[in-house]
Amino acid sequence: MKGIQFSLSKNQNLRLERALEQLESLSSKENSDASVTVADDISVNNEDAILKGHGTAEIDGRVVATICGVVERVNKLVYVRALRARYKPEIGDIVVGRVIEVAPKRWRLEINFRQDAVLMLSSMNLPDGIQRRRTAVDELNMRSVFEENDVICAEVRGFQHDGCLHLQARSQKYGKLKSGQLLSIPPYLVKKRKQHFHHLDQYGVDLILGCNGFIWVGEHVEVREEMVEDLSNKPEQRNMKSWNMINDEETEETYTPLETRGHICRTANAIRVLSTLGFMITVENTMEVVNLSIALNVDVHEMLGAEFYVVVAEKEAERRSSVTKRR
């Protein structure tokens, strides 16, 4: 947060500095060594047989940090989690990515990882919803599902021996994302939770928090129930019919209402504000910023102005201060 650069007035600059100092003091009270830089001491109990993990070293009987980050403790293991590191995927993570290549029987995606991820044709649901072997017809019609620059949502399935990341999209909630904005933020601002799909009912907006730092804000789409075709049809006819269903859907022209577009832009700007200030991106924090902008009659474009950043920082400082007093 200290690296934020705005053209602030003298009054705004004082207010922002005061709010950031209050936030820093509150965080330091909760955990004295929550954030460390290189060569900072990490307080440990020498009587316990602690395990020194990644980002730590022992010098003259002291445990010090070798990287900048946040101190994490798991039982006796002490390690430092780097803040500015690239995304480190785990099996089961919900990720949002962009298709960069359509290869034989697979799509390659950019997911903010050191390598491109792979979504196999066999690892996704077919349009007809039937579990069957993929045929040559399915492979020829891959571009009818995803093509270059499409944004899709998927789940991490596993890793190959060469470090390649494999994805899967075997549920109706996964797939192509349309009518929205793709945001890129530091991955450490997105905590892994049980639910990463959120529907903001009052605004008609879907919010997908990707663990890889890619966030999707788009028009709400109802999840369709899986369709099961009559198994008595011939396989060739059934395959062609399933792919024709996709082509029929693509020819249908859909328009996002102007009011919904405004809600999408407002929600996206709220996430940009939180990311710039270094606050965690959660659906609760996002809704607080959105509701605050509406209550103050702040226009969508004015949300990225210096004055609104100051207001959000002050509100967050007040909220954390009240939570600390209750404890």
Side-chain angles (χ1 to χ4, degrees):
M1 289 185 288
K2 294 180 181 179
I4 301 175
Q5 298 293 334
F6 291 121
S7 56
L8 300 173
S9 64
K10 186 176 180 179
N11 184 30
Q12 291 174 344
N13 199 12
L14 290 174
R15 289 167 55 193
L16 181 59
E17 288 181 359
R18 192 181 301 115
L20 295 181
E21 288 175 0
Q22 185 177 0
L23 287 170
E24 188 174 355
S25 63
L26 290 172
S27 62
S28 62
K29 289 178 183 177
E30 295 177 359
N31 192 348
S32 59
D33 59 353
S35 58
V36 293
T37 58
V38 177
D40 281 353
D41 289 343
I42 301 176
S43 61
V44 295
N45 189 352
N46 293 327
E47 296 180 358
D48 296 335
I50 64 168
L51 301 175
K52 295 178 288 296
H54 175 72
T56 63
E58 186 173 355
I59 301 177
D60 298 333
R62 299 177 295 114
V63 178
V64 299
T66 58
I67 60 175
C68 300
V70 176
V71 177
E72 300 283 355
R73 304 172 189 270
V74 181
N75 296 330
K76 294 184 178 182
L77 175 64
V78 179
Y79 66 97
V80 179
R81 175 171 54 86
L83 292 182
R84 297 295 179 180
R86 291 181 68 90
Y87 168 61
K88 294 182 179 179
E90 296 181 3
I91 296 177
D93 283 357
I94 304 299
V95 297
V96 178
R98 187 183 294 275
V99 178
I100 60 176
E101 181 186 358
V102 181
K105 297 184 180 180
R106 70 194 68 195
W107 294 270
R108 293 193 178 276
L109 287 79
E110 161 60 25
I111 62 165
N112 197 24
F113 185 46
R114 67 174 183 268
Q115 294 186 17
D116 297 333
V118 172
L119 175 63
M120 301 295 295
L121 177 61
S122 58
S123 297
M124 62 163 293
N125 273 354
L126 292 175
D128 51 18
I130 299 176
Q131 299 297 327
R132 57 174 174 78
R133 296 187 64 178
R134 293 353 179 215
T135 63
V137 175
D138 299 327
E139 187 173 353
L140 289 174
N141 287 278
M142 286 178 58
R143 289 185 182 274
S144 300
V145 185
F146 306 132
E147 59 183 359
E148 288 83 353
N149 296 322
D150 281 350
V151 179
I152 69 173
C153 178
E155 179 182 338
V156 176
R157 177 184 180 184
F159 303 87
Q160 291 293 338
H161 62 278
D162 59 352
C164 181
L165 185 65
H166 275 226
L167 306 178
Q168 66 176 2
R170 293 188 176 278
S171 173
Q172 294 296 328
K173 63 182 179 180
Y174 303 133
K176 186 176 180 179
L177 304 174
K178 298 184 293 184
S179 303
Q181 294 187 26
L182 177 65
L183 307 177
S184 178
I185 65 171
Y188 69 88
L189 293 179
V190 181
K191 277 192 174 181
K192 296 177 183 178
R193 297 191 170 187
K194 292 183 179 179
Q195 184 61 259
H196 284 260
F197 296 85
H198 304 282
H199 171 41
L200 311 184
D201 192 15
Q202 61 271 43
Y203 301 124
V205 173
D206 283 339
L207 178 63
I208 302 178
L209 303 178
C211 297
N212 57 334
F214 287 169
I215 295 182
W216 176 259
V217 184
E219 184 182 8
H220 176 62
V221 178
E222 294 290 344
V223 178
R224 301 176 305 171
E225 296 183 359
E226 295 185 357
M227 295 172 290
V228 179
E229 296 289 331
D230 186 5
L231 296 179
S232 61
N233 296 336
K234 294 182 179 180
E236 295 81 2
Q237 296 177 351
R238 185 172 65 242
N239 294 352
M240 292 303 301
K241 186 176 181 180
S242 64
W243 290 111
N244 288 335
M245 291 162 50
I246 286 187
N247 296 330
D248 293 340
E249 292 177 356
E250 291 182 348
T251 55
E252 295 179 0
E253 294 184 356
T254 58
Y255 299 94
T256 304
L258 185 61
E259 183 180 3
T260 304
R261 295 182 188 181
H263 293 321
I264 292 173
C265 293
R266 188 176 294 273
T267 305
N269 283 348
I271 294 174
R272 292 187 178 99
V273 171
L274 293 171
S275 175
T276 303
L277 293 173
F279 298 153
M280 299 301 298
I281 306 299
T282 62
V283 64
E284 294 80 12
N285 291 346
T286 303
M287 289 302 302
E288 286 182 8
V289 176
V290 170
N291 294 333
L292 178 63
S293 67
I294 296 176
L296 299 178
N297 293 324
V298 178
D299 189 69
V300 174
H301 303 290
E302 295 175 351
M303 291 178 65
L304 301 181
E307 177 64 24
F308 190 68
Y309 279 91
V310 176
V311 173
V312 172
E314 290 177 339
K315 290 293 183 180
E316 181 66 15
E318 292 176 4
R319 186 186 67 82
R320 294 190 186 183
S321 178
S322 61
V323 171
T324 304
K325 289 179 181 178
R326 285 191 217 133
R327 293 177 180 175

